[in-house]
Amino acid sequence: LSLDSASASFQGYTNELEAYFTHKEIPPSLRLKVNNYIQSRWSRDSPQEVDRQGPESSLQGLKMYSEERILDKLSPALRRELMASSVTSTLDKNPVFTASFFGSTLQVYMCTSLTQEWFQEGDHILVQGAPGSSVYFVKSGSVEVNHSGAPLGVLPPGSYFGEAPLLFPSALQPLTFVSTTPSSAFEWKISAFFKCLEQFPDLREVMELVLEQKMRRLGMESWKDRARLGKKDVQKERIRQLTTLFEEGQQMN
């Protein structure tokens, strides 16, 4: 895995990307957003520093790599240690997932199932009314919480979100989470989440208690009533919401 090879691979990718932009007639604003994402994804600078620099000076000298290919050539023990090194600093910022709460075994178990994602300012990470899909841990940047368009607060690094419909599978996502700055987060996908709960059954109870406290602070105590709805009730609610949107659209026309 030579640096020259990585640099050439990235240069080939950027050339291909420019050709794609031209052929598909991608507007400048969207090109800028893509370039910002690439810079945030591969730069050694923080996402906020990348945003200040802008993408024009950013793509030069970047090197792309395949984390999967790199880790595949290592021993299982060294692979876990490398993955843990980038995850534990984020988990340690949260009282639920710090090593002193459940012990280091939980973090070791989680480190191989978390994948890092990058978001631009204004990206909707999770949307109110959508089914549960993942839990996210904020690594850098900040994420705004809102309900029906009304801002409720900002989550700092170390915070996690998205767990509500996973803990109560018959419910939908009660809140929207928007990246308010260029940010990154570790994604805990639904399949890995439930496997972890099987290994650490006490974790579910702790996360449910924390969720209850979160909702109370946001003035959404009725969340638990909503979470207990059956699947048929959820489907009826979706139909009601769609009908309301359709009627509002008809009135505007």
Side-chain angles (χ1 to χ4, degrees):
L1 297 175
S2 70
L3 293 180
D4 288 341
S5 175
S7 180
S9 176
F10 187 84
Q11 185 60 50
Y13 172 79
T14 56
N15 291 341
E16 187 176 358
L17 185 63
E18 286 301 320
Y20 173 85
F21 284 159
T22 301
H23 186 259
K24 294 290 185 177
E25 299 180 344
I26 304 300
S29 59
L30 186 52
R31 295 186 187 201
L32 183 64
K33 189 173 184 179
V34 172
N35 283 340
N36 274 333
Y37 172 82
I38 294 171
Q39 169 65 355
S40 297
R41 174 70 176 83
W42 298 106
S43 175
R44 289 176 296 180
D45 296 325
S46 68
Q48 293 88 340
E49 182 63 28
V50 168
D51 189 51
R52 286 193 292 268
Q53 292 174 353
E56 298 305 324
S57 61
S58 63
L59 298 187
Q60 300 298 323
L62 294 183
K63 292 180 173 62
M64 186 179 288
Y65 58 86
S66 170
E67 183 176 28
E68 182 178 354
R69 188 172 68 245
I70 291 171
L71 295 177
D72 186 57
K73 296 182 181 296
L74 302 176
S75 68
L78 192 54
R79 189 183 308 135
R80 285 193 299 270
E81 188 174 351
L82 271 177
M83 296 177 75
S85 69
S86 64
V87 171
T88 53
S89 60
T90 297
L91 295 181
D92 279 339
K93 293 176 183 177
N94 192 284
V96 174
F97 294 92
T98 183
S100 61
F101 194 87
F102 273 98
S104 60
T105 53
L106 175 59
Q107 289 191 353
V108 171
Y109 186 89
M110 291 178 62
C111 72
T112 57
S113 59
L114 298 180
T115 56
Q116 191 171 355
E117 298 292 342
W118 286 259
F119 303 97
Q120 298 302 300
E121 181 179 352
D123 283 351
H124 286 61
I125 303 173
L126 293 174
V127 179
Q128 180 180 341
S133 57
S134 299
V135 176
Y136 290 90
F137 295 84
V138 182
K139 184 178 187 296
S140 63
S142 61
V143 175
E144 180 187 85
V145 186
N146 73 61
H147 181 261
S148 300
L152 300 177
V154 176
L155 301 178
S159 304
Y160 68 91
F161 60 93
E163 77 279 16
L166 300 188
L167 294 172
F168 299 91
S170 62
L172 302 176
Q173 182 60 247
L175 301 164
T176 292
F177 300 88
V178 184
S179 179
T180 54
T181 65
S183 58
S184 67
F186 289 107
E187 182 181 12
W188 199 10
K189 293 184 179 179
I190 185 170
S191 58
F193 175 79
F194 285 121
K195 285 181 180 178
C196 187
L197 293 188
E198 291 177 3
Q199 297 295 320
F200 300 87
D202 292 342
L203 181 60
R204 173 185 282 276
E205 184 176 355
V206 172
M207 293 185 72
E208 287 180 356
L209 289 173
V210 173
L211 175 61
E212 185 177 351
Q213 294 172 2
K214 285 182 182 180
M215 292 306 191
R216 188 181 299 117
R217 287 198 300 268
L218 295 175
M220 297 179 63
E221 293 87 345
S222 62
W223 152 251
K224 293 188 75 174
D225 295 331
R226 180 70 183 85
R228 291 193 182 102
L229 292 178
K231 291 184 178 180
K232 290 185 178 180
D233 295 315
V234 172
Q235 291 172 350
K236 289 180 181 178
E237 176 64 13
R238 287 175 177 171
I239 293 173
R240 187 195 67 78
Q241 292 175 350
L242 289 172
T243 302
T244 301
L245 289 172
F246 177 76
E247 291 175 349
E248 290 175 352
Q250 290 291 96
Q251 292 174 1
M252 292 178 64
N253 294 332

